[in-house]
Amino acid sequence: MPTDSPEKDNHTVYRKDYQPYPFSLDAVALDFELDETRTVVNSTLTFTSKDAAPADLVLNAEDITLDALHLNGQALAADTYTLSDTQLVIPQLSGSFKVQVRTVIDPSANSLFMGLYKSGSGFFTQCEAEGFRRITYFPDRPDVMSIYTVTLSGDKEKYPYLLSNGNLVSSQDLPDGRHQVVWHDPFHKPSYLFALVAGDFDIREKTVQTRNGRDVLLQIYSDKGSRDKTEWALASLERSLVWDEKRFGLELDLDRFMIVAVRDFNMGAMENKGLNIFNAGYVLADPDTATDANFSAVEAVIGHEYFHNWTGNRVTCRDWFQLSLKEGLTVFRDQEFTADMMAAGLDDQAAASARAVKRIDDVSVLRAGQFPEDAGPMAHPIRPDSYESIGNFYTATVYEKGAEVIRMQHTLLGEAGFRDGMDEYFRRHDGQAVTCDDFVNAMEYVYEKSHPQRDLSVFRRWYSQAGTPRVKVTMQHDASQHTVTLTLAQTTPLVGIEKIRKDFVKKPFHIPFAIGLLSANGQALALHEADADTQDQSKQQNGGEHTRLLELTAEQQSWTFTGIADKPVPSLLRNFSAPVIVQYDWTADELAVLAKSDPNPFARWEAGQALATREILGITQALKQGTSAGLSDVFVEVWKNNLLDAGLDAGYRARLLTLPSEKFLAEHMDPIEPVWLAKARHTVRESLGLAAASEWTGALQGNDTPGEYRPDPISAGRRSLKNLALSFLMAAGDQAACQQALQQYQAAHNMTDCMGALGAIVNYHHGDKRQEAIADFYEKWQHNPLVIDKWFALQATAADTRTDTIRGLMAHPAFSLRNPNRARSLIFQFCMNNAEGFHSEDGAGYRLWTEMVLALDSINPEVASRLARVMDNWARYTPASKSQMKSSLEQVRNHEGLSSNVSEIVSKALRI
Ligand code: TRP
Ligand code: ZN
């Protein structure tokens, strides 16, 4: 039943309810006496009332007990304040006053890894989004910013390093083998950016100069014995500093910047001011233990957290609905950082191909994760209007679609205009907690100067409307006039909560849509628009006269181009200039033209993927009907052509030749039948391995990377093409390739080649060598947790793995549900990336999911609710699967004592 406010209940927080905090927090002094089970936290907060009228002082709390409370030095009587599990309220305060709070907490009992917790023998904190309230009573909201002074004391032998944000003020020894240090952070920050670390570590450090000649100390802290794995992280950090100075004019503002690696961590990494804390998997990397993908992930995440120092920390979010203000923008910045690093030192054409590789990878991530989210029960705009648990809104939409929305502004303003807009944003808001609107206002100020009569008012709808727009393109060629008219029409379905809101009307988006036209033999055609005033400008900004940026701002618009004698092939949404789905009826031959010769490397890849999607979906139907399923000539021809196109760099070629993922394919299937889809995808791989055996063998043999391992994109590209060839050939049962895989596994001098071979063996080798290799790998790497995570993940995602294998591995001594990386490597990998196993007809996958969500929920609800999301799109499966998935969801929802995190996910999933 549609209602006006479908979410009216006590747990929902609404964006429209925002109220400023009535006090400013002038200073924060924190004192930690660190102890494994009984850490004492003394906090002194100095407030000043913003208004003359008195107001209630509200401090947040979670899972802590109040030990002492003073107001202006006087102990407060119990009847002068109110205390609940989640709040401490001191009524009617005004003027300036000091509140002193003492809490006692037990870090060893903290399995949530939010607030202060133990990992290994050290102490760590995680405060974003609302973890600080698990340490002390505090206005734990991002718009309350303050200057922090932090005193830490603890056992000197166990915790020789005591770290917090900012600059080290003093350190001294205390009696009983303890010591004490004081840190001061000179910058205003919200509580979510607070951090402390205590423990014993290896350090790798370097002093570098900023562009203004200031010395800054960069340090990487990691587990004892792991220093030889932090070289890449430090080099990545240095590159990040240089890049942000060069591309955005942003300099490091502290004398010291620390990164600490930790084994127990809920997510990737955290941008605490001057003291980033990282999941060890995004810090440690050496050739023996890390793959090319790991090396690039380390560089990207180090960049991401470092770039937050300006986009997130110096300018932060007013409230958590504005999360994309910092995350979307910072993802955009880290994507550009990686692209610039990949293109560095290459000539123009090679640089364009390198940047396309990065774009392809980012768009693939968006389509696999964000598109389904935007069509499912959790669909939300990049700036949500409501949430129950903020932890559930660190989503692909806020991050990845948020980055696309920033990228579109970059496209509309151009590089120079975007940079001006960023400068304006910092000029206006440095040191403040602001909104997404504030960001667009700064961009719009610049946009309006160069685009008279235009504004970003339609564009802003990207912040308030959810769903992936469909852009239907039709092309009319007039052979007598030599004109081509392209008509673009957009529609966006109602999604998620929009569907049950009574009078929600969806309006058109402002969609920058880059296009080109090719002749039937693959020549790029010059684009002359019949009547355009903005033509020159958009040409310059978007890659010369062969690419044109159309701006669709209404439901439907047309553009006419002149001087085109024959019917051309349109190349659409070049570089994925907007996060939309394109609908156009290309023939297979037209797709082949694009896939072989579109000068835009992104669009060329896209056309090949479209062709392969048709092929695999066609074979899925054929298999289901039991008819014979051969590959089409045109598809094989395109793949062979691209295998042999020696002018292309290997990394780009590997993307061209990779089949669309099962997740991408599932988006094109209704209902989704994962078992048939996996079979069809395998059939295509097998047939293509056979049909192009000599070409694949050429790629396998021609892409060695002899000599010392280097993670650069050129050699990584060669390895990815070689390992792709290996998997196609092995899928086709090629004996020589089989031998080569076994030999490559033994001889590999880097983890990329080792895993490439092991993956091929585990997925395609059916002899006894398979178990041997699995056992050998464990034997060799059992003492390296990050490598053992790979070992679990590889088995979890192997084609023939079912729940019995997973349950067997859960009983392995190396498995633990309490370590998030380990839980993710086995359970999440199986449920998310092994569709065939997870959706097995008997429902065993769903039963495992139910058990694991509930087991994890009692340990760590933030992690559990990510696993819960696997069932989001349950309603899109066949009736038989659907009903089993639904009853699993109901079982979880009805479980007593379920966390609010998981409850939000499963009840929204069941509401559709
Ligand atoms: N702000 C972090 C980032 O994107 C991510 C983050 C948010 C996080 N909440 C967290 C990390 C909780 C660990 C735990 O860079
Ligand atoms: Zn971030």
PDB file of all heavy atoms in Angstrom, residues 271 304-305 308 326-327 330 399, ligand 2:
ATOM      1  N   GLU A 271      40.993   7.817   6.587  1.00  0.00           N
ATOM      2  CA  GLU A 271      41.781   9.033   6.359  1.00  0.00           C
ATOM      3  C   GLU A 271      42.000   9.906   7.590  1.00  0.00           C
ATOM      4  O   GLU A 271      42.168  11.124   7.447  1.00  0.00           O
ATOM      5  CB  GLU A 271      41.073   9.863   5.281  1.00  0.00           C
ATOM      6  CG  GLU A 271      39.726  10.504   5.713  1.00  0.00           C
ATOM      7  CD  GLU A 271      38.485   9.706   5.314  1.00  0.00           C
ATOM      8  OE1 GLU A 271      38.607   8.471   5.136  1.00  0.00           O
ATOM      9  OE2 GLU A 271      37.398  10.308   5.200  1.00  0.00           O
ATOM     10  N   HIS A 304      43.873   7.658  -2.411  1.00  0.00           N
ATOM     11  CA  HIS A 304      42.535   8.020  -1.946  1.00  0.00           C
ATOM     12  C   HIS A 304      42.576   8.632  -0.542  1.00  0.00           C
ATOM     13  O   HIS A 304      42.061   9.730  -0.321  1.00  0.00           O
ATOM     14  CB  HIS A 304      41.632   6.779  -1.971  1.00  0.00           C
ATOM     15  CG  HIS A 304      40.233   7.025  -1.524  1.00  0.00           C
ATOM     16  ND1 HIS A 304      39.199   7.268  -2.397  1.00  0.00           N
ATOM     17  CD2 HIS A 304      39.688   7.072  -0.282  1.00  0.00           C
ATOM     18  CE1 HIS A 304      38.085   7.457  -1.723  1.00  0.00           C
ATOM     19  NE2 HIS A 304      38.355   7.338  -0.423  1.00  0.00           N
ATOM     20  N   GLU A 305      43.185   7.924   0.388  1.00  0.00           N
ATOM     21  CA  GLU A 305      43.192   8.426   1.774  1.00  0.00           C
ATOM     22  C   GLU A 305      44.005   9.720   1.873  1.00  0.00           C
ATOM     23  O   GLU A 305      43.620  10.643   2.590  1.00  0.00           O
ATOM     24  CB  GLU A 305      43.738   7.376   2.745  1.00  0.00           C
ATOM     25  CG  GLU A 305      43.027   6.016   2.695  1.00  0.00           C
ATOM     26  CD  GLU A 305      41.517   6.077   2.758  1.00  0.00           C
ATOM     27  OE1 GLU A 305      40.971   7.023   3.361  1.00  0.00           O
ATOM     28  OE2 GLU A 305      40.856   5.189   2.172  1.00  0.00           O
ATOM     29  N   HIS A 308      42.007  12.661   0.677  1.00  0.00           N
ATOM     30  CA  HIS A 308      40.997  13.091   1.653  1.00  0.00           C
ATOM     31  C   HIS A 308      41.507  14.224   2.544  1.00  0.00           C
ATOM     32  O   HIS A 308      40.715  14.940   3.141  1.00  0.00           O
ATOM     33  CB  HIS A 308      40.622  11.918   2.569  1.00  0.00           C
ATOM     34  CG  HIS A 308      39.428  11.117   2.124  1.00  0.00           C
ATOM     35  ND1 HIS A 308      38.261  11.694   1.679  1.00  0.00           N
ATOM     36  CD2 HIS A 308      39.207   9.777   2.102  1.00  0.00           C
ATOM     37  CE1 HIS A 308      37.376  10.730   1.390  1.00  0.00           C
ATOM     38  NE2 HIS A 308      37.930   9.557   1.627  1.00  0.00           N
ATOM     39  N   LYS A 326      32.561  14.097   0.145  1.00  0.00           N
ATOM     40  CA  LYS A 326      33.979  13.743   0.269  1.00  0.00           C
ATOM     41  C   LYS A 326      34.317  12.457  -0.477  1.00  0.00           C
ATOM     42  O   LYS A 326      35.393  12.352  -1.049  1.00  0.00           O
ATOM     43  CB  LYS A 326      34.395  13.662   1.748  1.00  0.00           C
ATOM     44  CG  LYS A 326      33.903  12.437   2.542  1.00  0.00           C
ATOM     45  CD  LYS A 326      34.474  12.479   3.970  1.00  0.00           C
ATOM     46  CE  LYS A 326      34.018  11.360   4.868  1.00  0.00           C
ATOM     47  NZ  LYS A 326      34.703  10.079   4.640  1.00  0.00           N
ATOM     48  N   GLU A 327      33.402  11.482  -0.494  1.00  0.00           N
ATOM     49  CA  GLU A 327      33.766  10.189  -1.093  1.00  0.00           C
ATOM     50  C   GLU A 327      33.713  10.212  -2.618  1.00  0.00           C
ATOM     51  O   GLU A 327      34.622   9.730  -3.284  1.00  0.00           O
ATOM     52  CB  GLU A 327      32.909   9.066  -0.514  1.00  0.00           C
ATOM     53  CG  GLU A 327      33.137   8.816   0.979  1.00  0.00           C
ATOM     54  CD  GLU A 327      34.585   8.522   1.362  1.00  0.00           C
ATOM     55  OE1 GLU A 327      35.404   8.233   0.467  1.00  0.00           O
ATOM     56  OE2 GLU A 327      34.912   8.598   2.564  1.00  0.00           O
ATOM     57  N   THR A 330      36.603  12.270  -3.770  1.00  0.00           N
ATOM     58  CA  THR A 330      37.920  11.665  -3.539  1.00  0.00           C
ATOM     59  C   THR A 330      38.119  10.429  -4.413  1.00  0.00           C
ATOM     60  O   THR A 330      39.233  10.163  -4.863  1.00  0.00           O
ATOM     61  CB  THR A 330      38.111  11.371  -2.041  1.00  0.00           C
ATOM     62  OG1 THR A 330      37.906  12.592  -1.325  1.00  0.00           O
ATOM     63  CG2 THR A 330      39.509  10.858  -1.746  1.00  0.00           C
ATOM     64  N   TYR A 399      29.938   6.220  -3.410  1.00  0.00           N
ATOM     65  CA  TYR A 399      31.341   6.276  -3.835  1.00  0.00           C
ATOM     66  C   TYR A 399      31.481   6.344  -5.365  1.00  0.00           C
ATOM     67  O   TYR A 399      31.985   7.305  -5.909  1.00  0.00           O
ATOM     68  CB  TYR A 399      32.105   5.040  -3.329  1.00  0.00           C
ATOM     69  CG  TYR A 399      32.612   5.152  -1.909  1.00  0.00           C
ATOM     70  CD1 TYR A 399      31.725   5.238  -0.839  1.00  0.00           C
ATOM     71  CD2 TYR A 399      33.967   5.164  -1.621  1.00  0.00           C
ATOM     72  CE1 TYR A 399      32.186   5.320   0.471  1.00  0.00           C
ATOM     73  CE2 TYR A 399      34.445   5.249  -0.320  1.00  0.00           C
ATOM     74  CZ  TYR A 399      33.550   5.326   0.723  1.00  0.00           C
ATOM     75  OH  TYR A 399      34.015   5.423   2.007  1.00  0.00           O
TER      76      TYR A 399
HETATM   77 ZN    ZN B   2      37.114   7.725   1.109  1.00  0.00          ZN
END
